[in-house]
Amino acid sequence: MDTIASLFSFITTPVSWVIVQFHSLYGAIFGPDSGWAWGLSIVSLVVLIRICLIPLFVKQIKATRGMQALQPKMKAIQERYKNDKQRQSEEMMKLYKETGTNPLSSCLPILAQSPFFFALYHVLSAIANGQTIGVINQSLLESARQAHIFGAPLAAKFTDSAEKAASLGASITDVRIVTAVMIVLMSLSQFYTQRQLMQKNVDLSVKTPFMQQQKMLMYIFPVIFAVMGINFPVGVLVYWLTTNVWTMGQQMYVINQNPTPGSKAQDQYLTRLLKHVSTHGDVKGRSKKKIVAAIVAKGPDRNDNERKFITALSKQGMAAQADGSVVRSSEATADADAASGGVATKRQQPKRQSKSKRQTPPSKPSKK
């Protein structure tokens, strides 16, 4: 086992054990030697890992929102030291330290998955080389070597020779077509996920190092996956394509249900929320009420999207309340009057004088 494999040997056995447990389940349905049984075992491994990483994903979202909240301060630093890049970087680092934020927080899920990824890679490499590994014994090894996904063996790679593909019971053409399609899908899903984040869930009007980092990742990660993908076994490509699809779906849900303040996604969300309020006459749902309450609490610090939402409510004769509900403006006025101790007292107007009285000069006091 090489150096990299030895670094992840502590997790190779648990990963192989999980795959074997799922394989015993799917093998009873599709047959133990089928590609469906082994392929779905890898997909199930991804789902299990991603469920375990949900708390980390939530932490990532909070850290990303923290970076978004710092955008005005970051922009001020950028403008103040626009002619001194070194001082600008120092002030940015100081701001990160004071607020406890990390511009690399978006990489946390990928870093957390790395041990599982490398463990799976070496499990499949061992299968391709006819070696037992972890809890995969000789009989399971022979079963895995016979498994094909769309005509490509589970352990085959794009760079394999025709002889190697033949030893695994497949043609090199089938192997390269399947792996090429999966590599393209893997890279496109990664690019779309990052592009979706950049276009909908961040404020692109603020040019900061954080924004530049996100834009750079949008192009770098797909290229990295495309280059590295030719050396991945089909099973690893199944793993990474599945985790990309999961990430894409998970991010779409977060963007649609809890968008970043000031983003295009927030504008779209508040437009849908306004339509919802217009239809039902109130805010239905705890999450929606929580967002409306947060907007009300901001007061004059609301962004353009939030001000537009409050103004649109007002034009429809409605007003958002501190608890996240929405009432008719007349009801809001009545509530305010009740809170002040009763009906508001009308302002007393000065008594109107007749024309003769206005023209008659005031009498002077008599002298004694």
Side-chain angles (χ1 to χ4, degrees):
M1 185 176 290
D2 58 26
T3 304
I4 297 179
S6 63
L7 290 175
F8 295 96
S9 59
F10 72 95
I11 202 172
T12 299
T13 299
V15 166
S16 62
W17 183 85
V18 172
I19 291 177
V20 168
Q21 300 310 307
F22 281 123
H23 174 262
S24 63
L25 172 64
Y26 295 121
I29 300 173
F30 301 103
D33 299 335
S34 69
W36 282 106
W38 285 100
L40 288 175
S41 298
I42 296 173
V43 171
S44 299
L45 172 67
V46 175
V47 173
L48 178 63
I49 292 173
R50 295 310 299 264
I51 290 174
C52 294
L53 290 178
I54 285 177
L56 183 60
F57 177 74
V58 172
K59 185 177 181 181
Q60 175 203 8
I61 292 295
K62 290 181 178 179
T64 304
R65 294 292 168 82
M67 290 296 299
Q68 291 292 329
L70 290 180
Q71 295 300 304
K73 294 182 179 180
M74 296 168 70
K75 185 176 181 180
I77 291 174
Q78 190 178 34
E79 292 177 352
R80 184 175 181 180
Y81 301 105
K82 59 183 177 181
N83 296 323
D84 189 347
K85 297 298 182 182
Q86 182 176 353
R87 181 65 184 278
Q88 185 183 118
S89 299
E90 292 174 355
E91 292 297 323
M92 289 290 187
M93 293 299 107
K94 183 179 178 180
L95 180 63
Y96 295 152
K97 186 176 181 180
E98 290 175 350
T99 56
T101 53
N102 184 0
L104 298 177
S105 58
S106 60
C107 300
L108 287 176
I110 293 177
L111 294 176
Q113 287 185 84
S114 297
F116 301 97
F117 173 78
F118 283 108
L120 178 63
Y121 177 83
H122 289 291
V123 167
L124 294 174
S125 293
I127 291 173
N129 295 324
Q131 300 172 353
T132 58
I133 185 171
V135 299
I136 297 180
N137 54 31
Q138 190 63 39
S139 61
L140 288 171
L141 175 64
E142 293 301 324
S143 174
R145 286 175 65 86
Q146 294 177 34
H148 288 62
I149 297 177
F150 301 113
L154 193 73
K157 296 182 289 187
F158 184 88
T159 54
D160 284 345
S161 62
E163 292 77 12
K164 182 69 175 288
S167 68
L168 294 172
S171 69
I172 190 62
T173 302
D174 290 341
V175 170
R176 289 184 175 172
I177 290 176
V178 172
T179 53
V181 170
M182 296 184 73
I183 289 169
V184 170
L185 292 175
M186 184 177 66
S187 299
L188 287 177
S189 60
Q190 179 67 41
F191 176 79
Y192 178 80
T193 299
Q194 194 65 26
R195 185 172 181 268
Q196 178 183 232
L197 177 66
M198 290 295 297
Q199 285 195 336
K200 289 189 174 183
N201 214 34
V202 295
D203 185 1
L204 293 177
S205 64
V206 182
K207 306 299 181 181
T208 63
F210 172 72
M211 302 301 302
Q212 296 301 321
Q213 175 214 14
Q214 294 297 314
K215 188 174 182 179
M216 179 179 63
L217 293 178
M218 181 173 67
Y219 294 100
I220 289 180
F221 274 153
V223 173
I224 291 175
F225 283 126
V227 173
M228 295 178 62
I230 61 174
N231 294 308
F232 290 164
V234 171
V236 174
L237 293 178
V238 171
Y239 172 92
W240 211 249
L241 178 59
T242 305
T243 197
N244 280 1
V245 172
W246 177 285
T247 301
M248 183 169 60
Q250 187 173 246
Q251 182 173 276
M252 287 176 67
Y253 176 81
V254 171
I255 289 176
N256 287 330
Q257 299 300 319
N258 192 15
T260 299
S263 65
K264 182 179 179 181
Q266 188 197 33
D267 184 29
Q268 295 173 345
Y269 177 86
L270 293 180
T271 300
R272 296 195 304 270
L273 182 57
L274 180 64
K275 185 177 180 181
H276 167 87
V277 173
S278 301
T279 302
H280 298 281
D282 196 4
V283 180
K284 304 292 184 181
R286 183 180 300 177
S287 61
K288 292 183 177 69
K289 286 189 174 182
K290 188 175 180 180
I291 289 178
V292 173
I295 293 174
V296 173
K298 285 185 178 181
D301 295 329
R302 299 181 188 118
N303 58 49
D304 291 340
N305 296 334
E306 294 160 348
R307 282 192 290 269
K308 186 171 72 172
F309 173 72
I310 295 296
T311 301
L313 281 178
S314 179
K315 289 181 178 179
Q316 294 188 19
M318 294 182 284
Q321 304 299 295
D323 63 353
S325 63
V326 172
V327 298
R328 294 292 172 182
S329 297
S330 57
E331 297 176 17
T333 302
D335 290 341
D337 291 342
S340 63
V343 179
T345 305
K346 294 183 179 180
R347 183 179 176 182
Q348 187 173 2
Q349 298 293 332
K351 188 175 181 180
R352 188 174 181 181
Q353 295 179 331
S354 64
K355 185 177 180 181
S356 59
K357 288 184 178 182
R358 290 198 302 270
Q359 292 177 348
T360 304
S363 60
K364 295 182 181 180
S366 60
K367 294 182 180 180
K368 293 184 178 180

